Amino acid sequence: MENTAPRKKRALSCIQPSGVPTLGNYLGALRNWVGMQDEFECFFAVADLHAITVRQEPAKLRQQIREMFALLLAIGLDPEKSLLFVQSQVPAHSQLAWLLACHTQFGELSRMTQFKDKAQKHADNINLGLFAYPSLMAADILLYQPDVVPVGADQKQHVELTRNIAERFNGLYGNVFTVPEPYIMKTGARVRSLQEPTRKMSKSDENQYAYVSLKDDPDTVMRKFRRAVTDSEAQVRYAEGKDGINNLMEIYSACTGDSLEAVEAAFAGKGYGDFKQAVGEAVVEVLRPIQERFARYMQDKGQLDSLMKQGAERASLASRRTLDKAMKKMGFVLV
Ligand code: TYM
């Protein structure tokens, strides 16, 4: 009998294996991926080709790719439900990236905030890959024809550019790509640095007290929250100019599920010391089960490698279809 059930919407997202992910990556992106697995047909990848836009040490990169894959499993992504894979193991990503690079304008790439930030941070290595990064990201996305791309707010600009590239390509050659929407959650979309709360929390921050890593043990987490920058008002309320407290309230709300109003009410009349303690404890509880599962996956290298291989095979098949179509439409000769 024909299957008449409407096709589930598709979602795709990736994360770079550059260092241990932070609480920001988790609350802004990873956690939402887990929740999307039933409603969407999901594709999630470790974007290791993106990581080499800044210099990486080979042995460390190898370890970080494995760890990131294990972490995706540990947070609750299920390879039976979602297609989990490593980007570099699927050749179509690099291949489509070149085709798309030839449809991306210099001016568009020059406007990317992430390029400007990273070029400033790595002034001695402003390489072509760093500049062309969004074309590779567009390839990651468009190969799988997703309807939505769940990301944190900092990646919205890249998804918008992907839309422009897809529309341009479709306009020239006929409908090849689904034009996807960014999918950004309200809470956790912009977790900020604990030391400079006007900036985003980033795993590449030199100050370790600025971010919480998903591998931090409970003592470290508590210490980092105790040291978090706040203000001198000593009132737990969400307001303009209270970036540090706003950030802590958002983290607490994302971890406990309480609304910002409920958090304000619960901590009325209490000092920042109590509040920081509570935020730290909420984060510790969120991290505990993830860390336990992560340790188990890292102990079984055979299982990890076999899951990677299965993912790579399935993703290669799925992506090949779109790549072939794009090449054919452009006039390449396929044999
Ligand atoms: P990456 O590896 O920097 O981050 C992975 C995801 O985490 C989100 N994120 C945050 N969310 C909230 N608060 C923060 N402080 C925070 N820091 C990071 C990011 O928005 C992202 O969703 N270019 C991408 C990786 C990528 C990709 C793709 C994403 C490659 N190809 C295709 C989507 C689709 C990146 O560098 O994310």
Side-chain angles (χ1 to χ4, degrees):
M1 215 172 68
E2 203 184 328
N3 182 1
T4 51
R7 162 169 104 77
K8 269 190 187 174
K9 282 198 167 184
R10 278 195 184 173
L12 173 136
S13 200
C14 310
I15 181 163
Q16 293 194 53
S18 44
V20 183
T22 66
L23 188 64
N25 296 123
Y26 182 66
L27 297 177
L30 298 175
R31 189 179 62 147
N32 304 320
W33 299 1
V34 179
M36 293 175 84
Q37 291 187 102
D38 291 319
E39 192 186 335
F40 294 85
E41 184 186 352
C42 293
F43 298 76
F44 298 121
V46 177
D48 52 352
L49 293 173
H50 279 94
I52 61 164
T53 53
V54 300
R55 219 39 99 230
Q56 300 287 339
E57 207 218 298
K60 213 165 140 199
L61 180 64
R62 193 171 298 120
Q63 175 73 3
Q64 287 179 178
I65 294 168
R66 283 225 162 78
E67 287 191 356
M68 185 56 83
F69 195 79
L71 189 78
L72 296 187
L73 296 163
I75 60 166
L77 294 178
D78 177 353
E80 303 275 317
K81 288 186 188 163
S82 303
L83 211 172
L84 307 180
F85 64 98
V86 175
Q87 180 192 32
S88 67
Q89 296 170 352
V90 183
H93 290 250
S94 313
Q95 292 170 291
L96 184 64
W98 173 250
L99 306 187
L100 298 183
C102 297
H103 295 82
T104 312
Q105 297 303 307
F106 184 90
E108 290 175 310
L109 293 173
S110 319
R111 284 194 289 277
M112 294 295 114
T113 327
Q114 183 170 308
F115 170 69
K116 289 192 251 178
D117 282 355
K118 287 205 173 171
Q120 212 177 29
K121 250 193 207 156
H122 304 275
D124 56 340
N125 183 22
I126 307 178
N127 59 72
L128 178 58
L130 188 66
F131 190 62
Y133 178 116
S135 310
L136 177 59
M137 177 157 161
D140 300 338
I141 298 172
L142 299 177
L143 279 172
Y144 301 90
Q145 313 280 3
D147 302 286
V148 295
V149 182
V151 282
D154 65 308
Q155 292 297 320
K156 184 163 178 238
Q157 198 183 28
H158 289 159
V159 182
E160 299 290 355
L161 178 57
T162 300
R163 289 171 56 84
N164 293 343
I165 298 172
E167 276 164 2
R168 186 171 305 146
F169 195 101
N170 287 347
L172 287 167
Y173 308 105
N175 267 349
V176 175
F177 301 124
T178 304
V179 181
E181 301 277 345
Y183 190 82
I184 298 171
M185 302 286 166
K186 280 219 180 75
T187 42
R190 210 186 285 273
V191 177
R192 297 172 190 278
S193 157
L194 299 183
Q195 292 299 315
E196 275 180 89
T198 49
R199 301 169 53 137
K200 78 166 179 175
M201 180 181 284
S202 163
K203 54 196 164 213
S204 53
D205 206 307
E206 273 161 27
N207 182 352
Q208 290 195 10
Y209 283 93
Y211 61 89
V212 172
S213 122
L214 293 193
K215 275 191 180 170
D216 283 345
D217 59 45
D219 284 348
T220 309
V221 173
M222 297 306 293
R223 201 168 343 112
K224 287 183 175 176
F225 280 104
R226 268 199 300 277
R227 284 222 199 165
V229 167
T230 48
D231 53 64
S232 53
E233 192 197 49
Q235 261 190 55
V236 179
R237 66 184 185 95
Y238 199 92
E240 208 171 312
K242 288 173 69 76
D243 298 316
I245 283 296
N246 293 349
N247 189 35
L248 294 182
M249 286 179 72
E250 282 182 28
I251 292 174
Y252 186 79
S253 157
C255 289
T256 58
D258 296 347
S259 67
L260 293 173
E261 295 76 40
V263 181
E264 246 174 50
F267 290 91
K270 297 211 172 114
Y272 286 166
D274 288 347
F275 182 52
K276 287 178 173 181
Q277 175 82 15
V279 182
E281 282 167 8
V283 171
V284 166
E285 285 319 306
V286 165
L287 298 190
R288 193 189 307 280
I290 298 175
Q291 292 176 345
E292 283 167 10
R293 285 196 296 263
F294 175 75
R296 279 206 297 277
Y297 280 113
M298 285 308 288
Q299 272 162 13
D300 193 345
K301 185 166 170 288
Q303 185 197 23
L304 214 55
D305 285 355
S306 124
L307 287 173
M308 268 189 200
K309 190 152 189 272
Q310 279 169 35
E313 282 165 3
R314 288 174 57 204
S316 292
L317 263 181
S319 55
R320 185 81 228 175
R321 235 172 281 146
T322 306
L323 177 67
D324 281 355
K325 189 167 173 194
M327 290 186 73
K328 226 188 203 153
K329 290 266 193 182
M330 282 182 74
F332 288 102
V333 179
L334 304 186
V335 286

